[in-house]
Amino acid sequence: MVKRKSPFKRGMFIFGILLLCFFILIPFYFMIHVSLKADYDPNKLTFSNFTVRNYLEIFGLIQSSETEFFGDEIIRANLEPVLKRIEELEERTASLESYTRYVHEIQLEAKEKELRDIVDLVIDFSGIEVQNREEFIERAITPGTEETEIVEENMKSIFSANDVKKFIDLREEVDSALTEESLLAGLENAKAQLKSYEAQKEKIIEERASEFPFLRYLRNSLVFAGISALISLIVAIFGAYAFSRLRFKGRSSVQRSVLFVYLFGGTVIMVPLYQMAVKLGILATPLGTGIYLIMVYVIQTLPVSLYMLGNYFRTIPFSIEEAAIIDGCSRIQAIFKIVIPLSLPAIVTVYIYAFMIGWNEYLFASAFLGLKSYKDLFTLPIGLNAFSGSAHAVWGRLMAASVVSAVPIIIIFSLMQKYLTSGFTAGGVKE
């Protein structure tokens, strides 16, 4: 007699499925919906102008300027603060006299006010009796006076030693602010700031909303994820076969230690891997960085690939291999003619798993590629993150790119689904 599930258990099962679909499908629906709304405004939550323009733009089939989405407002909003700062720095660095005037009228005034406020605070908290408060404060901020010693002595009982040191340094800085050496150093620093803001201005002007090389990022992700998954799979097949079939000293220890490596998260091993690459000079070239990133992805996926394939290989009767060896097959031929064909479900699963890790990986790619500014090698996660932080980011285009980035995984799973079946060894041997 078959025991039926209770209505409560059936209801909980249906509720769980619906909840799972909600958390998976709703964000995906939102991405598609927004990607088809060219002028989506996340602040107003309004949708209009149904269009597939965003998809055409990410594939480079049509070009657009930021004016079509933002008018001139976005450029003006980003440029105005920078232009104002450039104007101030140009006026300040026009000559040594101009910079001296700025230091005397603005910098010194602000720092002297800060010193006076500190001395005023010390007088109130320590209870120093003074006849003329303004005169006392003026003399207290001048090095070498009796008032200075009184203030410093009382500060030690009120403030920390570090705060006292900051006060002394600030006073010495004010005292030496108008010396020729200090003025020249400050002028050079201001000129360096001016160059930095001018570079920022050029970057804002040159940047365009249509400059999002989605196809390049897509290609890079396919190359990194595809090659690393393939290498991981090849190594895992031979390694898992050795663990499951061969007998050698220390096999169990090696097998456990390989899986133990997988317990360390990416944030733990990222710093040592990055330092090792820098010391070896691998990150000095884009090619070396790309190869090293593929190696890192292999390191990430290999332990669990070995574990998954090793467990699956143990389910294949060894007598099938013995029969092949009796018929004249070598060990290598037995692997390729017997083990691999019978393990296609596990092999396909492992490849998809390894590919997905490389496809979605962000941490190592951002460290190795982002820190070195190898923009031509950016993968989709880094490219989408950089685009989302851009002043010219368009929600519709960003969501369109996110939707398309999920397509390769769907295609790979669809093509390989026929291999994700079980029972290949059923009837293969009679025991």
Side-chain angles (χ1 to χ4, degrees):
M1 182 176 177
V2 179
K3 187 178 179 180
R4 298 196 174 193
K5 291 184 179 180
S6 65
F8 175 75
K9 289 183 178 179
R10 184 176 298 144
M12 291 300 294
F13 175 76
I14 295 174
F15 174 75
I17 294 297
L18 292 176
L19 191 66
L20 185 64
C21 291
F22 175 81
F23 283 112
I24 293 177
L25 297 180
I26 290 298
F28 195 71
Y29 166 78
F30 177 79
M31 288 165 58
I32 296 176
H33 194 53
V34 173
S35 68
L36 294 173
K37 307 298 178 180
D39 61 347
Y40 168 72
D41 186 348
N43 297 315
K44 298 179 182 177
L45 294 178
T46 58
F47 300 89
S48 62
N49 190 19
F50 188 90
T51 178
V52 293
R53 179 188 188 97
N54 294 306
Y55 288 90
L56 298 176
E57 287 170 346
I58 65 170
F59 284 109
L61 298 178
I62 61 173
Q63 297 293 327
S64 65
S65 66
E66 59 283 327
T67 306
E68 296 179 56
F69 291 97
F70 310 103
D72 295 326
E73 189 63 29
I74 189 70
I75 293 293
R76 185 165 56 252
N78 285 281
L79 271 182
E80 277 184 353
V82 177
L83 291 175
K84 184 179 179 181
R85 187 64 176 161
I86 289 175
E87 185 180 355
E88 292 175 355
L89 286 170
E90 284 179 342
E91 182 181 354
R92 191 180 306 167
T93 58
S95 63
L96 183 59
E97 290 75 15
S98 301
Y99 185 75
T100 303
R101 185 167 54 254
Y102 160 76
V103 171
H104 183 71
E105 295 177 356
I106 298 178
Q107 274 195 348
L108 271 180
E109 185 176 340
K111 291 178 180 179
E112 286 177 354
K113 184 180 183 303
E114 185 178 354
L115 286 174
R116 289 190 180 91
D117 291 341
I118 295 173
V119 174
D120 202 28
L121 192 66
V122 172
I123 293 174
D124 290 336
F125 274 88
S126 61
I128 301 175
E129 295 183 2
V130 295
Q131 295 180 353
N132 190 329
R133 194 183 188 96
E134 290 297 326
E135 183 180 346
F136 182 88
I137 292 175
E138 192 66 32
R139 290 181 60 82
I141 64 175
T142 304
T145 62
E146 183 181 348
E147 288 79 359
T148 301
E149 295 178 1
I150 295 173
V151 170
E152 288 181 9
E153 192 64 33
N154 284 274
M155 283 182 71
K156 293 177 182 178
S157 60
I158 302 173
F159 302 138
S160 65
N162 190 39
D163 291 332
V164 175
K165 185 178 182 304
K166 287 181 180 179
F167 172 78
I168 295 172
D169 292 342
L170 180 60
R171 191 180 58 205
E172 291 176 353
E173 187 178 339
V174 169
D175 188 54
S176 62
L178 294 177
T179 61
E180 184 179 356
E181 182 181 354
S182 178
L183 289 172
L184 289 173
L187 181 61
E188 290 301 320
N189 186 44
K191 288 180 178 179
Q193 289 183 10
L194 177 60
K195 290 181 180 179
S196 174
Y197 278 101
E198 286 176 343
Q200 187 176 346
K201 168 191 166 185
E202 294 298 325
K203 183 179 179 182
I204 293 174
I205 293 175
E206 290 175 2
E207 189 178 19
R208 291 291 179 270
S210 59
E211 289 182 356
F212 177 49
F214 174 79
L215 290 177
R216 186 201 305 160
Y217 297 155
L218 182 68
R219 180 200 65 201
N220 292 341
S221 289
L222 285 171
V223 170
F224 286 130
I227 294 178
S228 62
L230 183 61
I231 294 174
S232 178
L233 180 64
I234 293 173
V235 176
I237 288 174
F238 291 101
Y241 183 85
F243 287 145
S244 61
R245 288 289 190 260
L246 305 181
R247 299 291 181 268
F248 53 90
K249 189 175 182 180
R251 185 191 65 166
S252 298
S253 300
V254 174
Q255 189 173 0
R256 292 192 188 97
S257 62
V258 167
L259 190 60
F260 181 73
V261 174
Y262 189 68
L263 299 178
F264 292 95
T267 53
V268 177
I269 63 175
M270 184 191 70
V271 174
L273 285 175
Y274 184 82
Q275 289 181 337
M276 181 175 68
V278 170
K279 290 180 179 178
L280 293 175
I282 298 175
L283 304 184
T285 61
L287 178 61
T289 305
I291 294 174
Y292 191 72
L293 187 61
I294 291 174
M295 291 171 57
V296 170
Y297 288 171
V298 172
I299 292 172
Q300 277 191 298
T301 56
L302 187 57
V304 73
S305 299
L306 285 168
Y307 181 75
M308 293 169 67
L309 284 179
N311 288 337
Y312 194 89
F313 286 170
R314 292 186 185 93
T315 65
I316 300 174
F318 185 63
S319 54
I320 299 179
E321 288 182 64
E322 287 181 330
I325 292 173
I326 292 173
D327 287 340
C329 285
S330 64
R331 178 78 73 172
I332 296 297
Q333 289 175 326
I335 293 175
F336 283 98
K337 293 183 178 181
I338 303 298
V339 176
I340 291 179
L342 294 177
S343 304
L344 280 181
I347 291 173
V348 170
T349 302
V350 168
Y351 183 83
I352 293 176
Y353 168 80
F355 183 87
M356 288 179 62
I357 289 181
W359 182 261
N360 296 317
E361 204 283 323
Y362 174 81
L363 181 65
F364 291 101
S366 63
F368 298 144
L369 302 176
L371 293 178
K372 288 292 184 178
S373 297
Y374 292 142
K375 293 185 178 181
D376 289 339
L377 294 180
F378 273 13
T379 57
L380 265 178
I382 309 178
L384 289 173
N385 179 68
F387 182 66
S388 64
S390 169
H392 302 274
V394 179
W395 269 78
R397 189 183 293 113
L398 182 62
M399 291 297 101
S402 301
V403 171
V404 174
S405 67
V407 172
I409 297 293
I410 298 174
I411 292 175
I412 290 176
F413 187 83
S414 301
L415 292 176
M416 295 185 173
Q417 187 179 10
K418 61 182 180 180
Y419 299 106
L420 297 176
T421 55
S422 59
F424 279 166
T425 59
V429 61
K430 185 175 181 180
E431 300 195 5

